[in-house]
Coordinates of all heavy atoms in Angstrom, one line a residue:
T5 N 34.6 -113.8 -40.9 CA 35.1 -112.5 -40.5 C 34.9 -111.5 -41.7 O 35.3 -111.8 -42.8 CB 36.6 -112.6 -40.1 OG1 36.7 -113.5 -39.0 CG2 37.1 -111.3 -39.7
A11 N 38.0 -97.4 -44.5 CA 36.9 -96.7 -43.9 C 36.2 -95.9 -44.9 O 36.8 -95.1 -45.6 CB 37.4 -95.8 -42.7
D13 N 33.8 -92.9 -46.5 CA 33.7 -91.5 -46.2 C 32.2 -91.2 -46.2 O 31.8 -90.0 -46.3 CB 34.5 -90.6 -47.1 CG 34.1 -90.8 -48.6 OD1 33.3 -91.7 -48.9 OD2 34.6 -90.1 -49.4
D17 N 24.6 -98.4 -43.6 CA 23.6 -99.1 -42.7 C 23.9 -100.6 -42.8 O 23.7 -101.3 -43.9 CB 22.2 -98.8 -43.2 CG 21.1 -99.4 -42.3 OD1 21.4 -100.2 -41.5 OD2 20.0 -99.0 -42.5
P23 N 24.8 -112.7 -37.8 CA 25.2 -114.2 -38.0 C 24.0 -115.0 -38.4 O 24.1 -115.9 -39.3 CB 25.7 -114.6 -36.6 CG 25.5 -113.5 -35.7 CD 25.1 -112.3 -36.4
A25 N 21.3 -114.0 -40.1 CA 20.9 -113.7 -41.5 C 21.9 -114.2 -42.5 O 21.5 -114.6 -43.6 CB 20.8 -112.2 -41.7
Q73 N 26.7 -97.9 -39.2 CA 25.5 -97.7 -38.4 C 24.6 -99.0 -38.3 O 24.7 -99.8 -39.2 CB 24.6 -96.6 -39.1 CG 25.3 -95.3 -39.5 CD 25.9 -94.6 -38.3 OE1 25.2 -94.5 -37.3 NE2 27.0 -94.0 -38.5
L104 N 29.3 -108.7 -28.8 CA 30.4 -108.3 -28.0 C 31.1 -107.2 -28.8 O 31.5 -107.3 -30.0 CB 31.4 -109.4 -27.9 CG 30.8 -110.7 -27.2 CD1 31.7 -111.9 -27.4 CD2 30.5 -110.4 -25.8

Side-chain angles (χ1 to χ4, degrees):
T5 301
D13 58 355
D17 185 349
Q73 310 294 323
L104 304 168

